[in-house]
Structures are given as C-alpha cells and as structure tokens.
C-alpha cells in the first residue's frame, strides 16, 4: 500500500506511534534496570555514541540545503564555536553565536 | 557518567533549578529548535501537508529525522510500510536514550505517565541538557530543570514549524542556512561540558564513526554507530568502576 493511500493526518499519527513506541520501551526498561549496574553503563555509552554520531553526521554529511555549503566552512565554524566556548569560560550562548556568525560570514565571503 | 546520581548534596534546590531551566531553555535551544523545525515546516509545505498536520508532526513525533523521512518518502510515493520502517529506524535511538534519562531521573519521578512524558520530550537538545543537569545537581532538582527546558523546546519547535510552513520561502538563503547551521554548532557544543572520561570517549568514538557509517549504510548508520562506538568505549573504560 502506497503512503499516499492514507491521509497525511493518518500518516502523521502512525509515524508518531512508531516513534513513541521506542521512547515508551526505554521508559519501561528504565524502571526495571539497575542504574548502578554494568548494563546501564553500557546503554549509556551506546546513547552518548548515538547522539554524538547523529550530530557529527549533521555537520559532516548534512541533508538538504546545508549539503551544498563547503565542508571546511562547516567544520571551521564548529571549531571556532569550541574555541570561543573554552576561551569565554564555557559560555554556551556566546560560543553558539560565534560559530553561527563565522559560518554566515564565510558564506557571505565565499561563492556558494 | 557517574552511574547513579546525587540523591542530595550540593547544587541548586528545585525552585532554583526550575528557574535555571527556564533561562537555559530560552537562551539557545529555543532558537535552535525553532530554526530546525523552520526547515521541517517549509518541507512539509512543499510536500503537501497542511499546516495543522505539520504542527501535529512536531508535537507528536518530535524527532526531526523521523519527520523528514515521513514527509520526504510520502512525497516520493513510497510504500506505507517502507515509510513507517524508515521513521522507526530513525527513532530507535530513543530506546537507549529513554532508558538512560528516565533511569537517571526515576528517583524524582516514580510514576509511569510522567516517565513517558520525559521520554516523549527527549530530543538531541533536551537529552544532553537533562543528563548534564543530573550530574551537577540532586535528582529532584534535575527533574525540576528538565521540565521547563523540554517544554520550552517543544513549544518553540511547534512555533518554528508553523513559521517555516508559512514564511521560510521568503527568507534570504544565507539566513536560512545559518539558522540550520546554528543547530549543528549548538548540539556539538552541548558535549563540550562533559568531564567524565567514559562519556568523552563514547562521544568521541560516536562522532568519528557517525559520518562514515552513515555513508556506508544510511538506514542503520546511526544505530551501528551507537552500538559499535558505545561498546568500544565501554570495553575500554566502562567495565572497571
């Protein structure tokens, strides 16, 4: 059955259900697991690696319009964000703004 | 991660943590989530969803990759089963993430309905913020911190979806691109606050493996990254505690 055979609203509700299923499974497992135990630490490692991998993929291999911007500009701007973060005594707001501003500046200077 | 959290001890009380959550939620994540969902809103518009359906996707799915897969595959005429499988694969990460976040906060939230709400409000922004809070404050305060952060994020996400649905075509390209990129910078920076060696190793391994594994296997790349990277970090530093 094609995805267009059902209404967009029904598709949204189905998509919400399959996503919520994973969240709910995690929440249910959370109440049964020993949070001091080895299994919990391993799952935590998997979670951190997963989220970090997702974000790194967004920077290196973005989808959509961002894919057409130069890789060096994206990585350079992230690096500037990190540099400002540690120089400005861990100021997240300033660091994020500096990273985004260098990206915008780079885009304005470079022909995309 | 110190497995287990501080039950009491130093750190802000619940009211102070709640206020900090409001401040942190309003500072950057709101802009970041707003701009992320701006992109989804304009895509939903282009792919024939109504504004209400786009809004509902953000409120109920609340996972950018899954929402994009849904809108994109429907527009390409894919089979319903394929669409739902893709959405599901894009969201498997919530399983370990919910286990860890809900497990960490369960001392302050013993009832299942609220635990499910914690899990539903999780995103790439709110999960690291909640985890970081649980390491620097008592668990009841971390819970009081998480609610405003997470609520503000999803609220701004819904507003961003609608704004994107109606406006983003009128924005200059450079502004649009920078808003999307702000998301990437901010999410990367969320990991800069980590000081635990095991977490740093897991994050670094995941960051290195993420792009190549995605290129190799777009459907399962995120999952493989988590399992391989996480297991590697655990094997190296996690067993002896």
């Amino acid at each position: 059955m094609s995805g267009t055979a059902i209404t967009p609203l029904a598709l949204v509700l189905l998509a919400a259900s399959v996503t919520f299923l994973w969240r709910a499974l995690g929440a249910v497992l959370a109440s049964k697991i020993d949070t001091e135990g080895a299994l919990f630490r391993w799952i935590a490692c998997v979670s951190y690696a997963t989220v970090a991998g997702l974000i790194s993929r967004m920077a290196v291999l973005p989808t959509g319009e961002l894919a057409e911007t130069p890789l060096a500009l994206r990585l350079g701007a992230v690096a500037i964000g990190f540099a400002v973060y540690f120089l400005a005594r861990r100021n997240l707001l300033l660091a994020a703004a500096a990273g985004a501003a260098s990206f915008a500046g780079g885009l304005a200077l470079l022909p995309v | 991660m110190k497995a287990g959290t501080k039950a009491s001890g130093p750190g802000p009380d619940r009211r102070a943590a709640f206020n900090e959550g409001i401040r942190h939620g309003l500072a950057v994540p709101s802009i970041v989530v707003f701009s992320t969902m701006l992109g989804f809103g304009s895509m939903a518009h282009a792919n024939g969803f109504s504004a209400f359906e786009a809004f509902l996707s953000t409120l109920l799915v609340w996972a950018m990759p899954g929402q994009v897969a849904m809108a994109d595959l429907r527009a390409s005429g894919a089979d319903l089963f394929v669409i739902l499988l893709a959405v599901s694969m894009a969201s498997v990460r919530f399983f370990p993430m919910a286990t860890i976040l809900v497990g960490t906060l369960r001392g302050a939230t013993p009832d299942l309905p609220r635990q499910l709400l914690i899990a539903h409000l999780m995103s790439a922004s709110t999960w690291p913020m909640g985890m970081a809070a649980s390491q620097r404050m008592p668990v009841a305060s971390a819970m009081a911190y998480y609610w405003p952060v997470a609520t503000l994020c999803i609220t701004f996400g819904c507003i961003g979806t609608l704004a994107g649905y109606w406006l983003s075509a009128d924005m200059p390209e450079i502004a649009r691109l920078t808003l999307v990129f702000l998301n990437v910078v901010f999410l990367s920076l969320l990991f800069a606050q980590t000081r635990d060696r095991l977490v740093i190793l897991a994050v670094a391994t995941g960051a290195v493996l993420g792009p190549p594994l995605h290129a190799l296997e777009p459907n399962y790349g995120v999952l493989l990254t988590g399992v391989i990277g996480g297991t590697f970090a655990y094997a190296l530093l996690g067993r002896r505690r």
Side-chain angles (χ1 to χ4, degrees):
Chain A
M1 185 167 74
S2 160
T4 46
I6 59 171
T7 63
L9 184 62
L11 182 63
V12 168
L13 296 178
L14 283 173
S17 311
V18 297
T19 302
F20 186 72
L21 193 67
W22 290 118
R23 301 179 188 266
L25 278 174
V28 168
L29 178 61
S31 60
K32 306 204 183 321
I33 196 171
D34 171 18
T35 55
E36 305 285 336
L39 179 63
F40 191 81
R41 270 207 310 281
W42 176 71
I43 299 176
C45 286
V46 170
S47 305
Y48 276 106
T50 303
V51 180
L54 182 74
I55 293 164
S56 155
R57 198 273 301 152
M58 287 163 66
V60 178
L61 295 172
T63 53
E65 288 181 302
L66 214 53
E68 285 147 43
T69 60
L71 174 66
L73 176 60
R74 295 194 301 266
L75 294 186
V78 171
I80 289 172
F82 270 86
V84 170
Y85 181 79
F86 289 109
L87 289 174
R89 281 182 282 161
R90 298 175 173 261
N91 187 329
L92 196 60
L93 184 63
L94 195 66
S102 10
F103 179 78
L107 273 189
L109 292 174
L110 292 167
V112 177
Chain B
M1 68 238 69
K2 279 111 202 145
T5 43
K6 300 189 251 179
S8 57
D13 65 16
R14 286 171 58 198
R15 175 172 293 274
F18 182 82
N19 292 335
E20 190 181 329
I22 293 180
R23 279 201 314 278
H24 284 187
L26 285 174
V28 193
S30 52
I31 306 168
V32 162
V33 174
F34 177 88
S35 59
T36 306
M37 288 306 168
L38 207 64
F40 171 73
S42 78
M43 179 182 181
H45 190 188
N47 289 359
F49 286 80
S50 74
F52 176 67
E53 288 150 3
F55 164 82
L56 219 54
S57 310
T58 299
L59 185 70
L60 298 180
V61 181
W62 190 227
M64 181 71 166
Q67 290 173 238
V68 168
M70 175 193 75
D72 187 64
L73 288 170
R74 181 178 195 276
S76 73
D79 193 79
L80 178 62
F81 178 75
V82 172
I83 301 177
L84 292 179
L85 188 67
V87 173
S88 185
M89 288 317 301
S91 301
V92 180
R93 66 180 185 283
F94 290 124
F95 177 49
M97 286 165 69
T99 306
I100 296 312
L101 186 62
V102 174
T104 301
L105 296 174
R106 75 182 182 198
T109 320
D111 59 309
L112 186 64
R114 272 190 291 174
Q115 291 178 345
L116 291 176
L117 188 59
I118 294 175
H120 177 67
L121 293 173
M122 281 185 331
S123 68
S125 310
T126 63
W127 188 83
M129 292 178 84
M131 289 306 294
S134 75
Q135 307 214 332
R136 67 188 149 80
M137 53 179 88
V139 63
S141 300
M143 194 64 257
Y145 170 90
Y146 181 77
W147 289 129
V149 163
T151 310
L152 283 166
C153 279
I154 197 167
T155 305
F156 277 94
C158 290
I159 299 172
T161 304
L162 291 174
Y165 192 90
W166 286 311
L167 302 176
S168 100
D170 301 328
M171 284 172 67
E173 189 187 24
I174 192 163
R176 224 165 47 226
L177 285 171
T178 302
L179 280 175
V180 178
F181 183 75
L182 176 64
N183 187 33
V184 177
V185 187
F186 173 73
L187 294 175
S188 314
L189 284 165
L190 280 181
F191 288 109
Q193 36 190 327
T194 310
R195 288 183 169 136
D196 187 281
R197 281 173 60 216
L198 179 56
V199 174
I200 293 172
L201 181 63
V203 164
T205 317
V208 170
L209 289 179
L213 286 179
H214 172 79
L216 217 64
E217 185 47 80
N219 289 324
Y220 304 96
V222 174
L223 198 63
L224 285 173
T225 302
V227 173
I228 298 174
T231 306
F232 173 77
Y234 177 80
L236 221 60
L237 287 179
R239 283 181 300 180
R240 284 161 287 122
R241 280 268 156 150

